[in-house]
Amino acid sequence: MAKSIRKKLTERVTITDVAHTAGVSKTTVSRYLSGQYHILSENARNRIQEAIRELNYRPNQMARGLKQDRSYLIGMVIADITNPFSTAILRGAEDVCKQRGYSIMVCNTDNDPAKEREYIFMLQSRRIDGLLINTTGRNNQFLRQLAEEHTAIVLVDRKVPELGLDTVGVDNELSTKEAIRFMINRGYEQIAFFTEPLEGVSTRQERANAFKDILIQYGFPVADLYEADLQQAEPLLKQLERFLESSREGKRAIFAANGVILLKLIHALKHKGLRIPDDVAIAGFDEMEWTDLIGPGITTVSQPTYQIGVTAMERIFRRLEGDHSPSQNIAFAGKLIIRGSTPSVKGL
Amino acid sequence: MAKSIRKKLTERVTITDVAHTAGVSKTTVSRYLSGQYHILSENARNRIQEAIRELNYRPNQMARGLKQDRSYLIGMVIADITNPFSTAILRGAEDVCKQRGYSIMVCNTDNDPAKEREYIFMLQSRRIDGLLINTTGRNNQFLRQLAEEHTAIVLVDRKVPELGLDTVGVDNELSTKEAIRFMINRGYEQIAFFTEPLEGVSTRQERANAFKDILIQYGFPVADLYEADLQQAEPLLKQLERFLESSREGKRAIFAANGVILLKLIHALKHKGLRIPDDVAIAGFDEMEWTDLIGPGITTVSQPTYQIGVTAMERIFRRLEGDHSPSQNIAFAGKLIIRGSTPSVKGL
DNA sequence: GGAATTTATGGAATCGGTTTCATGAAATCG
DNA sequence: CGATTTCATGAAACCGATTCCATAAATTCC
């Protein structure tokens, strides 16, 4: 009887309920919800407003999205969510989304192409409007598919030229060259470059190539480019030892291709009882909250991470608004922050 | 004509398309999608599978969710997404969600109740099934409303007793007492406690109270409890100076109530040219990737952050599965990691 | 002052799935 | 062998919004 009907009715408040209590049709309420106030009478507007308040109504986004073929959802696929670099980007991206009423769904892949694929499928099922991805580069086929379904995709940090998508990141060549040139000018005679495996990751490749180029340009031998797999600590330690054995104290320096490997290297140096910069100088990509606190301060290349997130998300919205211009590669300048970990070599 | 029809048809592949090409009804396809294989003939199963593959079909989660009144979405409202503490929890939560086919929507509030409220409304519109929240404590009314609409809510880190919700965090009293007691036993005669403003945040209050309790228990005066607003750097610096002026080198120590303030304090000490631990000893909550690298290493209270995220999310799913048992407060033990920043006082 | 236009509104179809219920065929039973 | 149960399937209603189209009333036009 009445009791059970009421129960059913109050279970979830729908647009129909609002229409009833306001004494208008669903259509009119819908118009109110989408902000088309100018075609509503003041009377209707007020009564709807009152009804919504009274019933504490919140429109169902799934119903809305279904009909409009829009989810107001952006996917963000990140290799490692605990990496401060990633979260700074996320922060920027999130701020832009919030402002527009979009929400971000985070997906953590651990650089695993299989996980990445699963997430792409899931996001596809959710009909995301946009995707911001730090890709493994192994699921290009599926990304292309997504792009064909009108999802606006922006690659962050890592490029995949064959996809022809917008990318946002830092100018790796420029920044790496600036940093290595700086170290050469400071008098270091042997510089090692440590990176995670290059295969398939454009960012790492660009930095490694810039390193090689600049060494060649200055007539240095390119002997110390180390690709370390960080899953196990051993390889990195071994490679570090190899470098230290082959080089002379006071004349050598290490450059880390990103913040993760920079941290690992500093750990390894501490573990071996080596001092910065006396035993070895060090610098690397990614400014982090602790880089000025360790020893004499670590020289780093700072990326405008928040800005990268903001810009990437803005490109997504530009695309969603119908911009069909050719894809852009947006590269911000990195900033070299010089600290005590890379002093001038004695005797210069 | 045919062309335009085809275009329309291939625009988005729907369950109807799959049904047609497989030569069965939507109902049958739906059963396949929800894994009810046992009631399908092998023939139908194969043809549907083939059709899905051929058309590259992905079911629309919005349509699904609309009918089922389930979004398979979990909201995660965080005060500061760039805080490593938060992302570690997110990581744990995300892993659990992925496994169950749920997705997480991240919301960054900056500890702003207004932003938090906006997010709660948005998440409500999306009909999230669960919410994991690090709340400002200023939107209890809306959280209660959400809970009434069958959203499973778990409070992380910060409690709000009046809401009667599940909470997951660390045992603040126990860990704080252990840490302060340790410092007292090491011979420090004056210990300062630095925290962000206590008002409304249970975690901070619990830690501050534990600090006071243990000092009283040991017969120390409670003179140095500093509430610093971190928005501007000044207050913290002033308070730090006040403490340093009132205390004696070699006999004093600082305890930071969380990782953020710990970092700020270390920065401030460096800024003032003070050495750890010679000029002042320091310890604090939250183990971070750099705490063992700064100076002699910083003594910290480590929280099982990943585990907190996993546990919180598991409680959400337990609730979604229909568990109506009384609410739980789950408190993990923190772990005191002793490092060089808190050596024994000379002469002990 | 009647025709044409504008304005405010609502009925009904629709989005893409799930779920209820009905049905015909095959299998099991006494 | 007829009655009953099981099995595989599909038609149609439904979830909660938006949107197309129709319509009555009010306004403007000549």
Side-chain angles (χ1 to χ4, degrees):
Chain A
M1 29 174 51
K3 203 170 170 187
S4 72
I5 288 171
R6 168 147 288 277
K7 200 170 186 181
K8 187 79 185 255
L9 283 178
T10 56
E11 195 83 64
R12 289 275 195 199
V13 179
T14 73
I15 198 173
T16 308
D17 301 327
V18 175
H20 281 161
T21 72
V24 298
S25 73
K26 285 165 60 178
T27 311
T28 305
V29 178
S30 174
R31 287 200 254 266
Y32 176 91
L33 293 177
S34 54
Q36 306 175 50
Y37 302 124
H38 54 288
I39 55 172
L40 295 182
S41 68
E42 200 179 316
N43 183 265
R45 191 162 67 240
N46 291 335
R47 295 173 63 176
I48 292 171
Q49 185 176 30
E50 177 56 22
I52 288 178
R53 211 193 47 67
E54 185 187 323
L55 297 175
N56 197 21
Y57 168 73
R58 308 252 183 276
N60 183 327
Q61 276 293 349
M62 288 187 287
R64 212 176 241 231
L66 176 60
K67 177 66 182 177
Q68 295 187 139
D69 199 23
R70 277 207 155 201
S71 60
Y72 299 96
L73 243 32
I74 304 289
M76 181 148 175
V77 173
I78 311 180
D80 177 12
I81 183 68
T82 59
N83 185 337
F85 172 76
S86 303
T87 50
I89 291 175
L90 172 55
R91 174 107 211 272
E94 211 256 2
D95 281 359
V96 176
C97 277
K98 175 172 194 318
Q99 207 181 320
R100 309 231 186 183
Y102 274 71
S103 309
I104 291 188
M105 308 189 29
V106 282
C107 309
N108 189 66
T109 65
D110 287 325
N111 271 314
D112 176 350
K115 275 195 187 177
E116 181 176 64
R117 194 172 315 128
E118 283 178 53
Y119 274 125
I120 291 174
F121 288 170
M122 173 188 280
L123 293 171
Q124 207 166 4
S125 251
R126 296 206 182 265
R127 300 293 188 264
I128 49 166
D129 295 334
L131 175 64
L132 202 150
I133 183 170
N134 183 221
T135 181
T136 62
R138 296 296 167 69
N139 291 301
N140 297 344
Q141 180 197 151
F142 301 107
L143 287 179
R144 198 175 287 118
Q145 219 172 77
L146 247 192
E148 276 166 14
E149 287 173 11
H150 314 114
T151 299
I153 306 180
V154 170
L155 304 182
V156 172
D157 186 52
R158 303 178 186 172
K159 301 174 189 164
V160 182
E162 59 178 286
L163 286 175
L165 294 170
D166 290 322
T167 65
V168 178
V170 83
D171 190 324
N172 292 305
E173 186 183 339
L174 208 68
S175 288
T176 305
K177 286 188 173 173
E178 181 186 356
I180 304 295
R181 194 181 296 117
F182 160 77
M183 293 169 98
I184 290 173
N185 288 335
R186 282 259 157 133
Y188 296 101
E189 293 175 355
Q190 197 172 345
I191 302 175
F193 184 95
F194 281 84
T195 177
E196 293 183 76
L198 298 177
E199 193 197 357
V201 181
S202 70
T203 311
R204 297 173 191 165
Q205 288 165 2
E206 289 171 5
R207 293 176 189 174
N209 288 335
F211 166 74
K212 284 190 279 190
D213 288 354
I214 200 89
L215 286 198
I216 289 166
Q217 188 188 317
Y218 277 79
F220 282 54
V222 183
D224 299 297
L225 199 160
Y226 301 97
E227 281 185 64
D229 183 358
L230 298 183
Q231 301 314 92
Q232 326 91 293
E234 264 310 298
L236 180 68
L237 213 58
K238 282 254 172 59
Q239 292 172 329
L240 179 60
E241 280 164 5
R242 186 137 52 88
F243 171 65
L244 293 171
E245 280 161 18
S246 75
S247 59
R248 284 196 332 204
E249 195 185 305
K251 301 280 194 180
R252 65 191 173 201
I254 289 174
F255 188 79
N258 69 28
V260 175
I261 205 159
L262 177 58
L263 179 67
K264 296 269 185 187
L265 283 165
I266 294 173
H267 264 120
L269 291 175
K270 186 186 172 84
H271 176 73
K272 298 182 68 65
L274 295 171
R275 291 159 306 163
I276 299 169
D278 310 82
D279 295 314
V280 58
I282 191 165
F285 255 91
D286 292 338
E287 170 68 359
M288 288 158 285
E289 55 183 17
W290 45 265
T291 41
D292 63 332
L293 296 175
I294 294 199
I298 308 294
T299 296
T300 61
V301 176
S302 166
Q303 301 190 54
T305 45
Y306 179 85
Q307 191 58 41
I308 289 174
V310 168
T311 306
M313 198 50 79
E314 281 174 348
R315 279 230 61 70
I316 285 183
F317 286 120
R318 199 64 55 85
R319 294 301 188 187
L320 288 181
E321 284 157 7
D323 177 354
H324 289 109
S325 58
S327 68
Q328 293 183 7
N329 289 321
I330 302 179
F332 285 99
K335 192 171 163 220
L336 184 65
I337 301 180
I338 298 167
R339 299 206 178 91
S341 68
T342 53
S344 287
V345 168
K346 288 164 209 120
L348 270 197
Chain B
M1 29 175 47
K3 204 172 172 186
S4 73
I5 290 171
R6 169 149 286 278
K7 201 170 186 180
K8 187 75 186 259
L9 283 178
T10 56
E11 196 83 62
R12 289 276 195 198
V13 179
T14 74
I15 198 173
T16 309
D17 302 327
V18 174
H20 282 160
T21 71
V24 298
S25 73
K26 284 165 62 178
T27 311
T28 305
V29 178
S30 175
R31 288 201 251 267
Y32 175 91
L33 292 176
S34 55
Q36 306 176 51
Y37 302 124
H38 55 287
I39 55 173
L40 295 181
S41 68
E42 199 178 317
N43 183 266
R45 191 162 65 240
N46 291 336
R47 295 172 65 175
I48 293 171
Q49 184 176 30
E50 177 57 24
I52 287 177
R53 211 193 48 67
E54 185 188 323
L55 298 175
N56 196 22
Y57 168 72
R58 309 252 182 275
N60 183 327
Q61 277 292 348
M62 288 187 286
R64 208 176 246 228
L66 176 59
K67 177 65 181 178
Q68 294 187 140
D69 199 22
R70 278 211 154 198
S71 60
Y72 298 96
L73 242 33
I74 304 290
M76 181 148 174
V77 174
I78 310 181
D80 177 13
I81 183 68
T82 60
N83 185 336
F85 172 75
S86 303
T87 50
I89 291 175
L90 172 54
R91 172 108 211 270
E94 211 256 2
D95 281 359
V96 175
C97 277
K98 176 173 194 319
Q99 207 182 320
R100 308 231 188 182
Y102 274 70
S103 309
I104 291 188
M105 308 191 28
V106 281
C107 309
N108 189 66
T109 65
D110 287 324
N111 270 316
D112 177 348
K115 276 196 188 177
E116 180 176 67
R117 194 172 318 128
E118 284 178 52
Y119 273 126
I120 291 174
F121 288 169
M122 172 188 280
L123 293 171
Q124 205 167 6
S125 251
R126 296 206 183 267
R127 301 291 188 265
I128 50 165
D129 295 334
L131 175 65
L132 201 150
I133 184 171
N134 183 221
T135 182
T136 63
R138 296 298 167 68
N139 291 302
N140 298 344
Q141 178 196 154
F142 302 107
L143 287 179
R144 198 175 288 117
Q145 218 173 76
L146 248 193
E148 275 166 14
E149 287 173 13
H150 314 114
T151 299
I153 306 180
V154 170
L155 303 182
V156 172
D157 186 51
R158 302 178 185 171
K159 300 174 189 164
V160 182
E162 58 178 287
L163 286 176
L165 293 170
D166 290 322
T167 65
V168 179
V170 82
D171 192 322
N172 291 304
E173 186 183 338
L174 207 68
S175 289
T176 306
K177 286 190 173 173
E178 182 186 356
I180 304 295
R181 192 181 295 119
F182 160 77
M183 293 170 98
I184 290 174
N185 288 336
R186 282 258 159 133
Y188 296 100
E189 291 175 357
Q190 196 172 347
I191 302 175
F193 183 95
F194 281 83
T195 178
E196 292 183 76
L198 297 177
E199 193 198 357
V201 181
S202 69
T203 311
R204 298 174 190 165
Q205 288 165 2
E206 288 171 4
R207 293 175 189 175
N209 287 335
F211 166 74
K212 285 191 278 190
D213 287 355
I214 201 91
L215 284 198
I216 290 167
Q217 187 187 318
Y218 277 78
F220 282 55
V222 182
D224 299 296
L225 199 160
Y226 301 96
E227 280 184 66
D229 184 357
L230 298 183
Q231 302 313 95
Q232 328 91 296
E234 265 308 296
L236 180 68
L237 213 59
K238 283 256 172 58
Q239 292 173 330
L240 179 60
E241 279 164 5
R242 186 139 50 91
F243 171 64
L244 293 171
E245 280 160 18
S246 77
S247 60
R248 285 197 331 208
E249 194 186 305
K251 300 281 193 179
R252 64 192 174 201
I254 290 174
F255 187 79
N258 68 29
V260 175
I261 205 159
L262 177 59
L263 179 67
K264 296 269 183 187
L265 283 166
I266 294 173
H267 265 119
L269 291 175
K270 186 187 174 85
H271 176 73
K272 297 184 68 64
L274 296 171
R275 291 159 307 163
I276 299 170
D278 309 82
D279 295 314
V280 58
I282 191 166
F285 255 90
D286 292 338
E287 169 68 0
M288 288 157 286
E289 55 183 16
W290 45 266
T291 40
D292 63 332
L293 296 175
I294 294 200
I298 308 293
T299 296
T300 62
V301 176
S302 165
Q303 301 191 55
T305 45
Y306 179 85
Q307 191 58 40
I308 288 174
V310 167
T311 306
M313 199 51 79
E314 281 174 348
R315 278 235 54 75
I316 285 184
F317 286 120
R318 200 61 56 84
R319 293 301 188 187
L320 288 180
E321 285 157 8
D323 178 353
H324 288 109
S325 57
S327 68
Q328 294 183 6
N329 289 322
I330 301 179
F332 285 99
K335 192 171 163 216
L336 184 65
I337 301 181
I338 298 166
R339 300 207 178 90
S341 67
T342 52
S344 287
V345 169
K346 288 164 209 124
L348 270 195

